[in-house]
Amino acid sequence: MAERIEWTRHPDGVVQLLLARADKMNALDPAMFDALIEAGEALRGDAAVRAVVISGQGKAFCAGLDMASFERMGQGAASAVLGAAAGGTDLSARTHGISNAAQYVAMAWREVPVPVIAAVHGVAFGGGLQVALGADIRIVAPDTRLSVMEIKWGLVPDMGGMVLMRELARSDIVRELTFTGRIFSGEEALQLGFATRLAADPLAEALQMAHGIAGKSPDAIRAGKRLLNAALSHSAADLLIAESVEQQALIGSANQKEAVQANIERRPPRFGSSA
């Protein structure tokens, strides 16, 4: 699906994914859905990757579902459009773990074992916002326009949005945005919890952060992401055990010893691949 996503692999293990449909503001069509799913699945099993940056080509991050799809919905083809997005006509079918295919477009980034950073500019509407919310970190331009826009089309967020929004904002805020579909700015997104930080050049900031992460022990980074994912669903007791298990595996490992030695010798670390 190279026609929808352009890949750049940096020597330090940073992978840059560029949504490459600028003429349509990177709107989600079946090919874009497929490309995002394929990217998530490929990165999930890639031991060489250290961090991922997702951005949009042209003047937007992602404008949501392709407008032509909505036109077909207006002609009575809603089930076909939504079915194509979800990999079939039954949206309740679980095709990717706990998700259907449309949900996996956003939820996949939680399953990628390294930090995923979304660099968001222009617009992030509907499904495009949900893709950004699936990332671990969102760096957003202040003038970005964002919206939980599904209500405009008589729909609800159905790409993992309900799971992802509840982690970031108060319930009443999520409800207000879901019920109204109003457009809000990057600056308000930061206040609400949907943006991690603001930057005039989100992509440059995201790449700088990703390269910094790539210079840390890949074992510790991956363990940290596993624990942070577990924190969303585990009990305190289970999470404390998980912390201990992860830490015990790290202590004395080759990359952990290299981190210590590099600090003692005041030199850049030379980490091996993640175990």
Side-chain angles (χ1 to χ4, degrees), residues 49-120:
V49 66
R50 302 288 182 88
V52 178
V53 173
I54 305 175
S55 62
Q57 187 181 72
K59 61 183 180 181
F61 177 76
C62 178
L65 194 61
D66 186 272
M67 289 301 296
S69 297
F70 279 118
E71 291 175 5
R72 290 195 295 274
M73 288 176 67
Q75 296 164 10
S79 61
V81 172
L82 294 174
T89 56
D90 183 4
L91 298 182
S92 64
R94 304 294 90 180
T95 58
H96 293 73
I98 63 172
S99 306
N100 65 29
Q103 292 165 336
Y104 191 72
V105 168
M107 298 300 292
W109 313 114
R110 295 301 172 91
E111 296 187 17
V112 171
V114 299
V116 178
I117 306 167
V120 184

Short mmCIF file of all heavy atoms in Angstrom, two decimals, residues 49-120:
data_model
loop_
_atom_site.label_atom_id
_atom_site.label_comp_id
_atom_site.label_asym_id
_atom_site.label_seq_id
_atom_site.Cartn_x
_atom_site.Cartn_y
_atom_site.Cartn_z
N VAL A 49 12.87 -1.78 15.07
CA VAL A 49 12.26 -0.46 15.21
C VAL A 49 12.41 0.03 16.64
O VAL A 49 12.24 -0.74 17.60
CB VAL A 49 10.78 -0.48 14.75
CG1 VAL A 49 9.93 -1.34 15.67
CG2 VAL A 49 10.23 0.92 14.69
N ARG A 50 12.72 1.31 16.80
CA ARG A 50 12.91 1.91 18.13
C ARG A 50 11.83 2.93 18.47
O ARG A 50 11.54 3.16 19.64
CB ARG A 50 14.28 2.58 18.21
CG ARG A 50 15.47 1.64 17.95
CD ARG A 50 15.71 0.68 19.08
NE ARG A 50 16.84 -0.18 18.86
CZ ARG A 50 18.10 0.12 19.20
NH1 ARG A 50 18.36 1.28 19.78
NH2 ARG A 50 19.07 -0.73 18.98
N ALA A 51 11.28 3.60 17.46
CA ALA A 51 10.21 4.58 17.66
C ALA A 51 9.56 4.83 16.31
O ALA A 51 10.17 4.62 15.26
CB ALA A 51 10.73 5.88 18.25
N VAL A 52 8.30 5.28 16.34
CA VAL A 52 7.53 5.50 15.11
C VAL A 52 6.94 6.90 15.15
O VAL A 52 6.44 7.35 16.19
CB VAL A 52 6.39 4.46 14.98
CG1 VAL A 52 5.55 4.72 13.73
CG2 VAL A 52 6.96 3.04 14.95
N VAL A 53 6.99 7.58 14.01
CA VAL A 53 6.36 8.89 13.86
C VAL A 53 5.35 8.81 12.72
O VAL A 53 5.68 8.36 11.62
CB VAL A 53 7.40 9.98 13.55
CG1 VAL A 53 6.71 11.31 13.23
CG2 VAL A 53 8.36 10.16 14.73
N ILE A 54 4.11 9.22 12.99
CA ILE A 54 3.06 9.26 11.98
C ILE A 54 2.71 10.71 11.70
O ILE A 54 2.46 11.49 12.63
CB ILE A 54 1.79 8.53 12.45
CG1 ILE A 54 2.10 7.09 12.87
CG2 ILE A 54 0.72 8.52 11.36
CD1 ILE A 54 0.90 6.36 13.46
N SER A 55 2.69 11.08 10.43
CA SER A 55 2.31 12.45 10.05
C SER A 55 1.53 12.41 8.75
O SER A 55 1.40 11.35 8.12
CB SER A 55 3.56 13.34 9.90
OG SER A 55 4.39 12.85 8.86
N GLY A 56 1.01 13.56 8.36
CA GLY A 56 0.22 13.65 7.15
C GLY A 56 0.89 14.53 6.11
O GLY A 56 1.47 15.57 6.44
N GLN A 57 0.79 14.14 4.87
CA GLN A 57 1.36 14.91 3.75
C GLN A 57 0.47 16.11 3.43
O GLN A 57 -0.75 16.05 3.55
CB GLN A 57 1.45 13.98 2.54
CG GLN A 57 2.17 14.53 1.33
CD GLN A 57 2.17 13.52 0.20
OE1 GLN A 57 1.13 13.28 -0.42
NE2 GLN A 57 3.31 12.91 -0.06
N GLY A 58 1.08 17.19 3.02
CA GLY A 58 0.30 18.35 2.60
C GLY A 58 -0.22 19.17 3.75
O GLY A 58 0.45 19.36 4.75
N LYS A 59 -1.47 19.63 3.62
CA LYS A 59 -1.99 20.62 4.57
C LYS A 59 -2.79 20.03 5.71
O LYS A 59 -3.43 20.78 6.47
CB LYS A 59 -2.84 21.65 3.82
CG LYS A 59 -4.06 21.07 3.11
CD LYS A 59 -4.80 22.17 2.34
CE LYS A 59 -6.03 21.62 1.62
NZ LYS A 59 -6.72 22.69 0.87
N ALA A 60 -2.80 18.70 5.88
CA ALA A 60 -3.60 18.11 6.94
C ALA A 60 -2.98 16.81 7.44
O ALA A 60 -2.25 16.13 6.70
CB ALA A 60 -5.02 17.84 6.47
N PHE A 61 -3.29 16.47 8.67
CA PHE A 61 -2.95 15.15 9.20
C PHE A 61 -3.89 14.12 8.58
O PHE A 61 -3.47 13.22 7.86
CB PHE A 61 -3.06 15.13 10.72
CG PHE A 61 -2.80 13.77 11.32
CD1 PHE A 61 -1.50 13.28 11.42
CD2 PHE A 61 -3.84 12.98 11.79
CE1 PHE A 61 -1.25 12.02 11.95
CE2 PHE A 61 -3.60 11.73 12.34
CZ PHE A 61 -2.31 11.24 12.42
N CYS A 62 -5.18 14.25 8.83
CA CYS A 62 -6.17 13.34 8.23
C CYS A 62 -7.55 13.94 8.44
O CYS A 62 -7.95 14.23 9.56
CB CYS A 62 -6.09 11.96 8.86
SG CYS A 62 -7.31 10.78 8.21
N ALA A 63 -8.29 14.09 7.33
CA ALA A 63 -9.61 14.72 7.37
C ALA A 63 -10.73 13.76 7.71
O ALA A 63 -11.90 14.13 7.66
CB ALA A 63 -9.89 15.38 6.03
N GLY A 64 -10.41 12.52 8.05
CA GLY A 64 -11.45 11.55 8.40
C GLY A 64 -11.84 10.70 7.21
O GLY A 64 -11.09 10.55 6.25
N LEU A 65 -13.05 10.14 7.28
CA LEU A 65 -13.50 9.25 6.21
C LEU A 65 -13.68 10.02 4.92
O LEU A 65 -14.16 11.16 4.91
CB LEU A 65 -14.83 8.60 6.61
CG LEU A 65 -15.29 7.40 5.78
CD1 LEU A 65 -14.30 6.26 5.83
CD2 LEU A 65 -16.66 6.93 6.25
N ASP A 66 -13.29 9.42 3.82
CA ASP A 66 -13.36 10.06 2.51
C ASP A 66 -14.78 10.53 2.20
O ASP A 66 -15.75 9.79 2.37
CB ASP A 66 -12.89 9.07 1.44
CG ASP A 66 -12.79 9.71 0.08
OD1 ASP A 66 -13.80 9.71 -0.63
OD2 ASP A 66 -11.71 10.20 -0.26
N MET A 67 -14.92 11.77 1.75
CA MET A 67 -16.24 12.34 1.50
C MET A 67 -17.02 11.55 0.46
O MET A 67 -18.25 11.45 0.53
CB MET A 67 -16.10 13.79 1.05
CG MET A 67 -15.65 14.74 2.15
SD MET A 67 -16.78 14.77 3.56
CE MET A 67 -18.26 15.42 2.77
N ALA A 68 -16.33 10.98 -0.53
CA ALA A 68 -17.03 10.18 -1.53
C ALA A 68 -17.73 8.99 -0.88
O ALA A 68 -18.81 8.57 -1.31
CB ALA A 68 -16.05 9.70 -2.59
N SER A 69 -17.13 8.48 0.20
CA SER A 69 -17.77 7.38 0.92
C SER A 69 -19.07 7.85 1.55
O SER A 69 -20.07 7.13 1.55
CB SER A 69 -16.82 6.85 2.00
OG SER A 69 -15.65 6.32 1.44
N PHE A 70 -19.06 9.08 2.11
CA PHE A 70 -20.28 9.60 2.70
C PHE A 70 -21.36 9.84 1.65
O PHE A 70 -22.54 9.64 1.90
CB PHE A 70 -19.98 10.89 3.46
CG PHE A 70 -19.42 10.65 4.83
CD1 PHE A 70 -18.16 11.09 5.16
CD2 PHE A 70 -20.16 9.97 5.78
CE1 PHE A 70 -17.63 10.86 6.42
CE2 PHE A 70 -19.66 9.74 7.04
CZ PHE A 70 -18.39 10.19 7.36
N GLU A 71 -20.95 10.23 0.47
CA GLU A 71 -21.93 10.41 -0.60
C GLU A 71 -22.60 9.09 -0.94
O GLU A 71 -23.80 9.02 -1.16
CB GLU A 71 -21.24 11.00 -1.83
CG GLU A 71 -20.80 12.44 -1.64
CD GLU A 71 -20.01 12.96 -2.83
OE1 GLU A 71 -19.89 12.23 -3.83
OE2 GLU A 71 -19.49 14.09 -2.74
N ARG A 72 -21.82 8.02 -0.96
CA ARG A 72 -22.40 6.70 -1.23
C ARG A 72 -23.32 6.28 -0.09
O ARG A 72 -24.35 5.65 -0.30
CB ARG A 72 -21.29 5.67 -1.43
CG ARG A 72 -20.51 5.85 -2.74
CD ARG A 72 -19.69 4.64 -3.08
NE ARG A 72 -18.64 4.39 -2.11
CZ ARG A 72 -17.43 4.95 -2.16
NH1 ARG A 72 -17.14 5.81 -3.13
NH2 ARG A 72 -16.52 4.67 -1.25
N MET A 73 -22.96 6.67 1.15
CA MET A 73 -23.83 6.37 2.28
C MET A 73 -25.18 7.05 2.10
O MET A 73 -26.23 6.49 2.39
CB MET A 73 -23.18 6.81 3.59
CG MET A 73 -22.02 5.93 4.02
SD MET A 73 -21.20 6.55 5.50
CE MET A 73 -22.48 6.33 6.72
N GLY A 74 -25.14 8.28 1.60
CA GLY A 74 -26.38 9.01 1.37
C GLY A 74 -27.25 8.36 0.32
O GLY A 74 -28.44 8.58 0.28
N GLN A 75 -26.65 7.54 -0.52
CA GLN A 75 -27.40 6.83 -1.54
C GLN A 75 -27.80 5.43 -1.09
O GLN A 75 -28.19 4.58 -1.88
CB GLN A 75 -26.55 6.73 -2.82
CG GLN A 75 -26.25 8.09 -3.44
CD GLN A 75 -25.12 8.03 -4.45
OE1 GLN A 75 -24.68 6.96 -4.83
NE2 GLN A 75 -24.65 9.19 -4.87
N GLY A 76 -27.65 5.19 0.22
CA GLY A 76 -28.11 3.93 0.78
C GLY A 76 -27.07 2.84 0.85
O GLY A 76 -27.40 1.68 1.05
N ALA A 77 -25.80 3.22 0.70
CA ALA A 77 -24.75 2.20 0.72
C ALA A 77 -23.93 2.25 2.01
O ALA A 77 -22.76 1.90 2.02
CB ALA A 77 -23.84 2.37 -0.48
N ALA A 78 -24.55 2.67 3.11
CA ALA A 78 -23.80 2.82 4.36
C ALA A 78 -23.18 1.51 4.80
O ALA A 78 -22.02 1.47 5.24
CB ALA A 78 -24.73 3.34 5.45
N SER A 79 -23.91 0.43 4.69
CA SER A 79 -23.37 -0.85 5.16
C SER A 79 -22.15 -1.26 4.33
O SER A 79 -21.19 -1.82 4.87
CB SER A 79 -24.44 -1.94 5.08
OG SER A 79 -24.87 -2.13 3.75
N ALA A 80 -22.17 -0.97 3.05
CA ALA A 80 -21.03 -1.33 2.21
C ALA A 80 -19.81 -0.51 2.58
O ALA A 80 -18.69 -1.03 2.65
CB ALA A 80 -21.38 -1.12 0.74
N VAL A 81 -20.00 0.79 2.84
CA VAL A 81 -18.88 1.66 3.19
C VAL A 81 -18.28 1.24 4.52
O VAL A 81 -17.07 1.05 4.66
CB VAL A 81 -19.33 3.13 3.24
CG1 VAL A 81 -18.21 4.00 3.79
CG2 VAL A 81 -19.74 3.58 1.86
N LEU A 82 -19.13 1.10 5.53
CA LEU A 82 -18.63 0.74 6.85
C LEU A 82 -18.07 -0.67 6.84
O LEU A 82 -17.09 -0.97 7.52
CB LEU A 82 -19.74 0.87 7.90
CG LEU A 82 -20.22 2.30 8.13
CD1 LEU A 82 -21.41 2.31 9.06
CD2 LEU A 82 -19.12 3.16 8.69
N GLY A 83 -18.69 -1.56 6.09
CA GLY A 83 -18.19 -2.92 6.01
C GLY A 83 -16.81 -2.97 5.38
O GLY A 83 -15.94 -3.71 5.83
N ALA A 84 -16.58 -2.17 4.37
CA ALA A 84 -15.26 -2.13 3.73
C ALA A 84 -14.22 -1.64 4.71
O ALA A 84 -13.09 -2.14 4.75
CB ALA A 84 -15.30 -1.23 2.50
N ALA A 85 -14.59 -0.66 5.53
CA ALA A 85 -13.65 -0.14 6.52
C ALA A 85 -13.34 -1.18 7.58
O ALA A 85 -12.21 -1.24 8.09
CB ALA A 85 -14.22 1.12 7.18
N ALA A 86 -14.31 -1.99 7.95
CA ALA A 86 -14.13 -2.94 9.04
C ALA A 86 -13.77 -4.33 8.57
O ALA A 86 -13.68 -5.26 9.37
CB ALA A 86 -15.40 -2.99 9.90
N GLY A 87 -13.56 -4.51 7.28
CA GLY A 87 -13.14 -5.80 6.78
C GLY A 87 -14.29 -6.77 6.59
O GLY A 87 -14.09 -7.98 6.47
N GLY A 88 -15.50 -6.29 6.55
CA GLY A 88 -16.66 -7.14 6.38
C GLY A 88 -17.90 -6.37 6.76
O GLY A 88 -17.81 -5.25 7.23
N THR A 89 -19.08 -6.93 6.57
CA THR A 89 -20.30 -6.19 6.85
C THR A 89 -20.72 -6.26 8.30
O THR A 89 -21.56 -5.48 8.74
CB THR A 89 -21.44 -6.72 5.97
OG1 THR A 89 -21.59 -8.13 6.18
CG2 THR A 89 -21.13 -6.47 4.49
N ASP A 90 -20.18 -7.19 9.08
CA ASP A 90 -20.54 -7.33 10.49
C ASP A 90 -19.51 -6.60 11.34
O ASP A 90 -18.41 -7.10 11.57
CB ASP A 90 -20.60 -8.81 10.87
CG ASP A 90 -21.04 -9.01 12.32
OD1 ASP A 90 -21.38 -8.00 12.99
OD2 ASP A 90 -21.04 -10.17 12.78
N LEU A 91 -19.87 -5.41 11.82
CA LEU A 91 -18.93 -4.62 12.58
C LEU A 91 -18.61 -5.24 13.93
O LEU A 91 -17.58 -4.92 14.54
CB LEU A 91 -19.48 -3.20 12.79
CG LEU A 91 -19.73 -2.37 11.53
CD1 LEU A 91 -20.21 -0.98 11.90
CD2 LEU A 91 -18.48 -2.29 10.66
N SER A 92 -19.46 -6.12 14.43
CA SER A 92 -19.21 -6.74 15.73
C SER A 92 -18.21 -7.89 15.64
O SER A 92 -17.73 -8.37 16.67
CB SER A 92 -20.52 -7.25 16.35
OG SER A 92 -21.08 -8.28 15.55
N ALA A 93 -17.87 -8.32 14.44
CA ALA A 93 -16.89 -9.40 14.28
C ALA A 93 -15.51 -8.89 14.69
O ALA A 93 -15.09 -7.82 14.26
CB ALA A 93 -16.88 -9.90 12.84
N ARG A 94 -14.83 -9.64 15.53
CA ARG A 94 -13.49 -9.27 15.99
C ARG A 94 -12.46 -9.91 15.05
O ARG A 94 -12.25 -11.12 15.08
CB ARG A 94 -13.24 -9.75 17.42
CG ARG A 94 -14.25 -9.27 18.46
CD ARG A 94 -14.20 -7.77 18.66
NE ARG A 94 -15.12 -7.05 17.76
CZ ARG A 94 -15.25 -5.74 17.74
NH1 ARG A 94 -14.53 -5.00 18.55
NH2 ARG A 94 -16.09 -5.18 16.90
N THR A 95 -11.83 -9.11 14.24
CA THR A 95 -10.89 -9.61 13.24
C THR A 95 -9.43 -9.39 13.62
O THR A 95 -8.53 -10.01 13.04
CB THR A 95 -11.15 -8.93 11.88
OG1 THR A 95 -11.01 -7.50 12.05
CG2 THR A 95 -12.54 -9.24 11.37
N HIS A 96 -9.19 -8.51 14.59
CA HIS A 96 -7.82 -8.16 14.99
C HIS A 96 -7.77 -8.11 16.52
O HIS A 96 -7.81 -7.04 17.12
CB HIS A 96 -7.39 -6.83 14.39
CG HIS A 96 -7.24 -6.85 12.91
ND1 HIS A 96 -8.32 -6.89 12.06
CD2 HIS A 96 -6.12 -6.86 12.13
CE1 HIS A 96 -7.89 -6.92 10.81
NE2 HIS A 96 -6.57 -6.90 10.83
N GLY A 97 -7.72 -9.27 17.14
CA GLY A 97 -7.72 -9.31 18.60
C GLY A 97 -9.04 -8.84 19.16
O GLY A 97 -10.09 -9.40 18.85
N ILE A 98 -9.02 -7.78 19.95
CA ILE A 98 -10.25 -7.25 20.54
C ILE A 98 -10.95 -6.27 19.61
O ILE A 98 -12.01 -5.74 19.95
CB ILE A 98 -9.98 -6.57 21.89
CG1 ILE A 98 -9.06 -5.35 21.73
CG2 ILE A 98 -9.38 -7.56 22.89
CD1 ILE A 98 -8.90 -4.51 22.99
N SER A 99 -10.40 -6.02 18.43
CA SER A 99 -10.90 -4.98 17.53
C SER A 99 -11.42 -5.57 16.23
O SER A 99 -11.01 -6.66 15.80
CB SER A 99 -9.78 -3.99 17.19
OG SER A 99 -9.18 -3.45 18.34
N ASN A 100 -12.31 -4.80 15.56
CA ASN A 100 -12.53 -5.08 14.14
C ASN A 100 -11.47 -4.32 13.36
O ASN A 100 -10.66 -3.59 13.93
CB ASN A 100 -13.96 -4.74 13.70
CG ASN A 100 -14.29 -3.25 13.79
OD1 ASN A 100 -13.42 -2.39 13.66
ND2 ASN A 100 -15.55 -2.94 14.01
N ALA A 101 -11.46 -4.45 12.04
CA ALA A 101 -10.38 -3.86 11.26
C ALA A 101 -10.36 -2.34 11.35
O ALA A 101 -9.29 -1.72 11.44
CB ALA A 101 -10.47 -4.30 9.80
N ALA A 102 -11.54 -1.71 11.33
CA ALA A 102 -11.59 -0.25 11.42
C ALA A 102 -11.05 0.23 12.76
O ALA A 102 -10.33 1.24 12.84
CB ALA A 102 -13.01 0.24 11.22
N GLN A 103 -11.37 -0.47 13.83
CA GLN A 103 -10.86 -0.11 15.14
C GLN A 103 -9.35 -0.33 15.22
O GLN A 103 -8.63 0.45 15.85
CB GLN A 103 -11.58 -0.91 16.22
CG GLN A 103 -13.04 -0.53 16.37
CD GLN A 103 -13.85 -1.55 17.15
OE1 GLN A 103 -13.49 -2.73 17.22
NE2 GLN A 103 -14.95 -1.12 17.73
N TYR A 104 -8.88 -1.35 14.54
CA TYR A 104 -7.45 -1.66 14.57
C TYR A 104 -6.62 -0.57 13.91
O TYR A 104 -5.45 -0.39 14.23
CB TYR A 104 -7.19 -3.00 13.89
CG TYR A 104 -5.79 -3.53 14.11
CD1 TYR A 104 -5.41 -4.03 15.37
CD2 TYR A 104 -4.85 -3.55 13.09
CE1 TYR A 104 -4.13 -4.50 15.58
CE2 TYR A 104 -3.57 -4.03 13.29
CZ TYR A 104 -3.21 -4.51 14.54
OH TYR A 104 -1.94 -4.98 14.75
N VAL A 105 -7.21 0.20 13.00
CA VAL A 105 -6.49 1.31 12.37
C VAL A 105 -5.97 2.29 13.43
O VAL A 105 -4.90 2.87 13.27
CB VAL A 105 -7.41 2.03 11.36
CG1 VAL A 105 -6.82 3.35 10.91
CG2 VAL A 105 -7.66 1.13 10.16
N ALA A 106 -6.71 2.46 14.52
CA ALA A 106 -6.26 3.31 15.62
C ALA A 106 -5.62 2.50 16.74
O ALA A 106 -4.60 2.91 17.30
CB ALA A 106 -7.43 4.12 16.17
N MET A 107 -6.20 1.35 17.07
CA MET A 107 -5.71 0.56 18.20
C MET A 107 -4.38 -0.13 17.90
O MET A 107 -3.66 -0.51 18.83
CB MET A 107 -6.75 -0.47 18.59
CG MET A 107 -8.09 0.11 19.06
SD MET A 107 -7.95 1.20 20.51
CE MET A 107 -7.49 0.00 21.78
N ALA A 108 -4.04 -0.29 16.62
CA ALA A 108 -2.78 -0.97 16.27
C ALA A 108 -1.57 -0.29 16.89
O ALA A 108 -0.59 -0.96 17.24
CB ALA A 108 -2.61 -0.99 14.75
N TRP A 109 -1.63 1.04 17.04
CA TRP A 109 -0.46 1.76 17.53
C TRP A 109 -0.19 1.47 18.99
O TRP A 109 0.93 1.64 19.46
CB TRP A 109 -0.63 3.26 17.26
CG TRP A 109 -1.09 3.45 15.85
CD1 TRP A 109 -2.30 3.94 15.42
CD2 TRP A 109 -0.38 3.06 14.65
NE1 TRP A 109 -2.37 3.89 14.05
CE2 TRP A 109 -1.22 3.35 13.55
CE3 TRP A 109 0.86 2.50 14.42
CZ2 TRP A 109 -0.83 3.09 12.24
CZ3 TRP A 109 1.25 2.24 13.11
CH2 TRP A 109 0.40 2.54 12.04
N ARG A 110 -1.20 1.01 19.72
CA ARG A 110 -0.98 0.56 21.08
C ARG A 110 -0.29 -0.80 21.11
O ARG A 110 0.39 -1.15 22.07
CB ARG A 110 -2.31 0.50 21.85
CG ARG A 110 -2.98 1.85 22.03
CD ARG A 110 -2.04 2.80 22.79
NE ARG A 110 -2.52 4.16 22.83
CZ ARG A 110 -3.28 4.63 23.79
NH1 ARG A 110 -3.70 3.85 24.76
NH2 ARG A 110 -3.65 5.90 23.77
N GLU A 111 -0.48 -1.58 20.05
CA GLU A 111 0.14 -2.90 19.98
C GLU A 111 1.54 -2.86 19.38
O GLU A 111 2.31 -3.82 19.54
CB GLU A 111 -0.75 -3.85 19.17
CG GLU A 111 -2.10 -4.11 19.83
CD GLU A 111 -2.91 -5.17 19.12
OE1 GLU A 111 -2.33 -5.93 18.31
OE2 GLU A 111 -4.12 -5.25 19.38
N VAL A 112 1.89 -1.80 18.68
CA VAL A 112 3.28 -1.63 18.25
C VAL A 112 4.10 -1.50 19.54
O VAL A 112 3.78 -0.68 20.40
CB VAL A 112 3.42 -0.38 17.36
CG1 VAL A 112 4.90 -0.07 17.10
CG2 VAL A 112 2.68 -0.58 16.05
N PRO A 113 5.15 -2.29 19.71
CA PRO A 113 5.81 -2.39 21.02
C PRO A 113 6.72 -1.24 21.39
O PRO A 113 7.35 -1.29 22.45
CB PRO A 113 6.60 -3.70 20.90
CG PRO A 113 6.89 -3.84 19.45
CD PRO A 113 5.68 -3.27 18.75
N VAL A 114 6.81 -0.22 20.55
CA VAL A 114 7.66 0.94 20.84
C VAL A 114 6.80 2.20 20.81
O VAL A 114 5.67 2.18 20.32
CB VAL A 114 8.81 1.06 19.82
CG1 VAL A 114 9.70 -0.18 19.88
CG2 VAL A 114 8.28 1.27 18.40
N PRO A 115 7.30 3.33 21.32
CA PRO A 115 6.51 4.55 21.31
C PRO A 115 6.14 5.00 19.90
O PRO A 115 6.96 4.98 18.98
CB PRO A 115 7.44 5.57 21.98
CG PRO A 115 8.34 4.74 22.84
CD PRO A 115 8.57 3.48 22.08
N VAL A 116 4.89 5.41 19.75
CA VAL A 116 4.36 5.94 18.50
C VAL A 116 3.98 7.39 18.74
O VAL A 116 3.22 7.69 19.67
CB VAL A 116 3.15 5.14 18.01
CG1 VAL A 116 2.59 5.74 16.72
CG2 VAL A 116 3.53 3.67 17.79
N ILE A 117 4.51 8.28 17.94
CA ILE A 117 4.27 9.72 18.09
C ILE A 117 3.52 10.22 16.86
O ILE A 117 3.96 10.01 15.73
CB ILE A 117 5.61 10.48 18.22
CG1 ILE A 117 6.45 9.89 19.35
CG2 ILE A 117 5.36 11.96 18.47
CD1 ILE A 117 7.90 10.36 19.34
N ALA A 118 2.38 10.87 17.08
CA ALA A 118 1.63 11.48 15.99
C ALA A 118 1.98 12.95 15.90
O ALA A 118 1.91 13.68 16.90
CB ALA A 118 0.13 11.30 16.20
N ALA A 119 2.39 13.40 14.72
CA ALA A 119 2.65 14.81 14.45
C ALA A 119 1.44 15.35 13.70
O ALA A 119 1.20 15.00 12.55
CB ALA A 119 3.92 14.97 13.62
N VAL A 120 0.66 16.19 14.36
CA VAL A 120 -0.67 16.55 13.87
C VAL A 120 -0.71 18.03 13.47
O VAL A 120 -0.37 18.91 14.26
CB VAL A 120 -1.74 16.27 14.95
CG1 VAL A 120 -3.14 16.53 14.41
CG2 VAL A 120 -1.63 14.82 15.44
#
